[in-house]
């Protein structure tokens, strides 16, 4: 991907924060969404946002147009700038579009004694199976940050069978080496700004989960949590079958398994991403023939702003969907 940040917005932090707060996400009217709830095999539920004219019935009975499934990032939602930008780009292409929420992210606490995590490939696989059953046309999938790592982990585990579900996948600004990214976000400016932002919503959710399932973890330890390492060590890792945070970050990382992917996969990472150290990114010689790496020098974390102030965030979704469209 050829990308150059606008001169008025230099640096990875500015290219990360400004697009969230000020950049334009779409031309014209905002995309409208319709929510649907799916029951899960373990007695829980997930919510799915479809473009308003893309209900499952319309998608299944109408023309066999492509469906783009987008998996959101940590604490993401339909209000995230990248979700709205991708939805608008998909709508202009005439594609169906859907964004499933990871458990606990749709505004209502989920029921099971679990949440979501960066290596949740079983959940990704179940969701994609549900989309495949509801949509007769070709399907492609993309994931942003956490969602992108989990999507790649699914493609790795699925191997040659992944192509039976999707034509291609893409990860965007994903922390493929969770250990490197986890330590990076816990230092300096990252700790002061991004860590606090994430914990502001994650810790109350965890405490609500404790009320729902008493004894799930130590409440006093949760109150003392100050970074994602501590949070994942107390909550995310043990809740999802990992020994501790180090075991979770190691086993959930997509980077060591990229050569196992057998479906076209685009892996996009800006080299000035504050969350994902450039030294931790994979090299083309280590990923196998099915994986394409895009590593532009600039872009920040899911930013990639373009144009004059206040700028817009349509460039990256347009380039990613251009690549995906060629695999349909």
């Amino acid at each position: 991907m050829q990308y150059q940040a606008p001169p008025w917005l230099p640096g990875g932090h500015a290219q990360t924060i400004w697009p969230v707060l000020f950049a334009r996400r779409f031309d014209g009217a905002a995309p409208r969404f319709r929510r649907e709830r799916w029951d899960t095999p373990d007695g829980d539920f997930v919510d799915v946002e479809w473009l308003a004219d893309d209900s499952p019935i319309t998608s299944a009975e109408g023309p066999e147009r492509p469906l783009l499934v987008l998996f959101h990032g940590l604490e993401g939602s339909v209000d995230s700038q990248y979700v709205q930008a991708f939805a608008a780009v998909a709508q202009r292409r005439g594609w169906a579009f859907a964004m499933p929420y990871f458990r606990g992210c749709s505004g209502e606490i989920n029921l099971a004694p679990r949440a979501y995590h960066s290596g949740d490939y079983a959940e990704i696989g179940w969701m994609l199976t549900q989309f495949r059953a509801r949509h007769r046309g070709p399907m492609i999938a993309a994931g942003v940050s956490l969602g992108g790592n989990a999507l790649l982990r699914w493609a790795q585990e699925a191997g040659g069978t992944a192509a039976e579900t999707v034509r291609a996948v893409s990860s965007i600004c994903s922390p493929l080496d969770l250990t490197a990214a986890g330590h990076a976000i816990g230092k300096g400016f990252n700790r002061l700004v991004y860590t606090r932002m994430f914990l502001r919503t994650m810790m109350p959710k965890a405490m609500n989960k404790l009320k729902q399932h008493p004894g799930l973890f130590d409440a006093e330890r949760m109150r003392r949590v100050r970074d994602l390492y501590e949070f994942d060590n107390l909550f995310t890792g043990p809740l999802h079958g990992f020994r501790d945070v180090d075991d979770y970050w190691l086993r959930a990382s997509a980077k060591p398994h990229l050569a196992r992917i057998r479906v076209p996969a685009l892996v996009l990472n800006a080299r000035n991403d504050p969350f994902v150290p450039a030294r931790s990114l994979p090299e083309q010689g280590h990923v196998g023939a099915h994986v394409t790496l895009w590593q532009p020098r600039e872009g920040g974390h899911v930013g990639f702003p373009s144009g004059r102030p206040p700028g817009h965030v349509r460039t990256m979704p347009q380039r990613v969907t251009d690549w995906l469209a060629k695999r349909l």
Side-chain angles (χ1 to χ4, degrees):
M1 174 179 171
Q2 298 297 318
Y3 169 79
Q4 184 172 356
W8 56 271
L9 201 58
H13 291 300
Q15 291 161 21
T16 298
I17 297 171
W18 181 277
V20 174
L21 299 177
F22 305 115
R24 298 187 303 275
R25 305 169 177 195
F26 42 77
D27 287 325
R32 295 180 300 107
F33 297 92
R34 171 190 176 277
R35 181 172 291 193
E36 182 181 44
R37 177 159 292 184
W38 296 346
D39 294 327
T40 63
D42 60 347
D44 207 342
F45 67 88
V46 296
D47 291 325
V48 179
E49 300 280 4
W50 298 80
L51 272 174
D53 62 345
D54 291 330
S55 69
I57 294 176
T58 302
S59 296
E61 297 181 359
E64 295 185 1
R65 56 179 172 166
L67 167 63
L68 171 61
V69 178
L70 182 70
F71 295 96
H72 65 76
L74 185 64
E75 296 299 274
S77 76
V78 74
D79 296 322
S80 298
Q81 89 279 3
Y82 55 83
V83 175
Q84 296 190 354
F86 265 101
V89 169
Q91 194 167 42
R92 285 202 306 273
R93 288 182 176 275
W95 292 356
F97 175 89
M99 187 213 75
Y101 282 103
F102 290 116
R103 300 198 201 194
C105 290
S106 64
E108 182 177 341
I109 188 171
N110 63 302
L111 304 176
R114 59 155 296 164
Y116 67 106
H117 64 90
S118 295
D120 208 353
Y121 60 82
E123 187 89 324
I124 294 282
W126 180 82
M127 290 176 173
L128 289 175
T129 298
Q130 303 310 303
F131 283 117
R132 180 72 283 160
R134 288 164 168 79
H135 187 84
R136 293 189 309 203
M139 195 163 75
I140 47 182
V144 174
S145 197
L146 174 149
N149 185 84
L151 177 61
L152 292 180
R153 287 292 292 115
W154 167 78
Q156 293 159 359
E157 294 296 322
T161 66
E164 298 172 8
T165 304
V166 296
R167 298 285 182 87
V169 298
S170 175
S171 72
I172 297 113
C173 298
S174 296
L176 306 177
D177 180 338
L178 289 166
T179 301
H183 287 302
I185 202 171
K187 298 178 181 178
F189 183 86
N190 287 351
R191 184 185 181 94
L192 290 173
V193 176
Y194 308 119
T195 294
R196 287 183 178 180
M197 176 189 70
F198 288 129
L199 291 181
R200 190 177 301 125
T201 57
M202 292 166 65
M203 290 177 65
K205 285 183 183 180
M207 296 303 284
N208 286 336
K209 183 60 63 177
L210 182 63
K211 292 178 183 177
Q212 192 183 45
H213 296 278
L216 203 58
F217 58 85
D218 187 328
E220 286 304 315
R221 284 183 62 193
M222 179 60 71
R223 294 187 182 98
R224 297 195 298 269
V225 164
R226 293 295 179 268
D227 59 29
L228 294 183
Y229 184 94
E230 294 172 353
F231 184 89
D232 283 351
N233 196 48
L234 176 64
F235 183 80
T236 314
L239 210 64
H240 299 102
F242 299 98
R243 184 183 65 251
D244 53 23
V245 61
D246 296 311
D247 183 48
Y248 162 43
W249 285 358
L250 178 65
R251 290 168 53 197
S253 294
K255 181 181 175 181
H257 312 288
L258 289 171
R260 294 167 54 190
I261 292 177
R262 294 295 180 268
V263 67
L266 173 65
V267 179
L268 168 61
N269 291 92
R271 299 190 69 83
N272 70 344
D273 187 329
F275 300 1
V276 184
R279 66 180 182 278
S280 73
L281 296 179
E283 299 177 6
Q284 189 64 54
H286 301 151
V287 301
H290 292 84
V291 177
T292 299
L293 300 179
W294 285 357
Q295 296 177 359
R297 186 171 58 89
E298 300 179 296
H301 187 75
V302 202
F304 300 99
S306 298
R308 298 178 179 178
H312 64 81
V313 291
R314 299 189 300 273
T315 297
M316 181 269 289
Q318 187 66 53
R319 302 280 178 81
V320 170
T321 56
D322 283 346
W323 188 92
L324 291 170
K326 294 177 181 177
R327 276 78 193 169
L328 289 171

